[in-house]
């Protein structure tokens, strides 16, 4: 058990907390729609619900389906962004902005209006640019290996891998993402061939992780870039803060403002129904439930995080 540095807050029993939060959100199991636009995701059981809270002392508290791997989808961008930042530093901002999109995650019109510079790295066009920058002078396969190695090391779990079925779905249903990538290329904002960049983006989105693995992997972002258990300096404190800022302002498609309003934690949603959120100085929490709201954030997952904050006061605005 750990305590946030707030006077008069009693110690929290983390296991009882995640059990209670799972219970709170259980009424919302199966609500919303699974991401049917990808055939492989359409088959996932909508009643799944899991939560994992990784604390700074190395303990991970889980409830429900927290050990079942699911498709990370664009939650993966948070980690690719950490890696790309360490390769190219602030030069990344020549290629992508850092404003909320206020538009759907795959909006083509906005990209055209803004001459091929995506609003932020967490929408699809921005994530594609991040992949391009990560490849740099390497090959697409090397970039994917780097992402996988990073996730395995961060979660302490070598079993993390790519779901090839999802890769296939991403590619066959990928016309809009291909359009975004060609638009970026047309505006001179890709340095590698479109199909190479997309092959990284598709494989990155198709990585499967459980809530337990994801919460553990995201822990460094709650501790200023340093893994509190291994003491590895994963990214510079300033970059960790910036990634958290992007998560807070742009982490949930076109409902990022609503997520900040309701939950008040930096987070990133993926269309597989996962959400990763950081609780600065305390830990990282991952939730998963495949039913999505109209803006593609996990419906029961967001309720679970809302209840977590209600029960603890762990909003960053406290
Ligand atoms: N690979 C996904 C797509 O466009 C990303 C979805 C997401 O999680 O935002 O379809």
């Amino acid at each position: 058990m750990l305590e946030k540095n707030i006077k008069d807050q009693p110690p929290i029993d983390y296991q009882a907390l995640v059990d209670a939060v799972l219970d709170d959100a259980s009424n919302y199991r199966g609500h919303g729609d699974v991401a049917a636009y990808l055939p492989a995701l359409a088959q996932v059981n909508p009643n799944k619900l899991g939560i994992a809270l990784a604390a700074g002392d190395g303990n991970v508290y889980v409830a429900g389906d927290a050990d079942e791997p699911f498709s990370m989808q664009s939650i993966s961008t948070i980690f690719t962004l950490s890696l790309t930042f360490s390769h190219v530093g602030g030069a990344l901002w020549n290629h992508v902005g850092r404003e909320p999109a206020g538009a759907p995650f795959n909006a083509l019109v906005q990209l055209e209006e803004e001459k091929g510079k995506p609003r932020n790295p967490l929408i699809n066009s921005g994530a594609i640019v991040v992949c391009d920058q990560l490849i740099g002078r390497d090959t697409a396969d090397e970039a994917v290996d780097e992402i996988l190695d990073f996730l395995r090391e961060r979660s302490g779990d070598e079993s993390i891998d790519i779901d090839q079925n999802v890769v296939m779905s991403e590619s066959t249903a990928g016309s809009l993402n291909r359009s975004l990538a060609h638009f970026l290329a047309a505006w001179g904002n890709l340095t590698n061939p479109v199909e190479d960049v997309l092959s990284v983006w598709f494989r990155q989105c198709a990585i499967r992780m459980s809530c337990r693995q994801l919460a553990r992997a995201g822990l460094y972002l709650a501790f200023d870039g340093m893994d509190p258990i291994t003491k590895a300096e994963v990214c510079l404190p300033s970059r960790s803060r910036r990634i958290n800022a992007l998560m807070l302002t742009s982490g949930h498609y076109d409902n990022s403002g609503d997520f900040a309003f309701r939950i008040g934690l930096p987070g990133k949603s993926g269309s597989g129904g996962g959400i990763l959120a950081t609780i600065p100085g305390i830990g990282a929490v991952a939730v998963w439930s495949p039913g999505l709201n109209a803006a593609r954030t996990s419906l029961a997952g967001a309720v679970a995080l809302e209840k977590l904050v209600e029960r603890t006061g762990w909003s960053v605005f406290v």
Side-chain angles (χ1 to χ4, degrees), residues 101-119 123-126 128 174-187 190 194 198 254:
F105 68 110
N106 51 12
L108 202 54
V109 172
Q110 187 176 65
L111 189 62
E112 181 177 24
E113 276 171 3
E114 300 186 357
K115 301 186 169 39
K117 185 171 179 181
R119 272 287 172 97
I123 52 174
N124 282 18
S125 52
I128 292 168
S175 300
L176 196 47
N177 285 326
R178 283 204 169 74
S179 308
L180 290 169
H182 281 287
F183 246 93
L184 292 164
W187 285 101
L190 287 188
V194 163
L198 286 172
D254 206 8

Side-chain angles (χ1 to χ4, degrees), residues 37 73-74 105 124 170 177 201 205 253 270-271:
Y37 76 103
Q73 291 296 308
S74 58
F105 68 110
N124 282 18
E170 296 274 355
N177 285 326
W201 163 236
C205 284
Y253 316 113
S271 64

Side-chain angles (χ1 to χ4, degrees), residues 126-149:
I128 292 168
V129 165
V130 171
C131 286
D132 179 54
Q133 292 294 311
L134 180 67
I135 299 172
R137 291 203 204 105
D138 297 335
T139 65
D141 287 350
E142 284 166 342
V144 172
D145 285 345
E146 190 180 353
I147 298 168
L148 276 173
D149 286 348

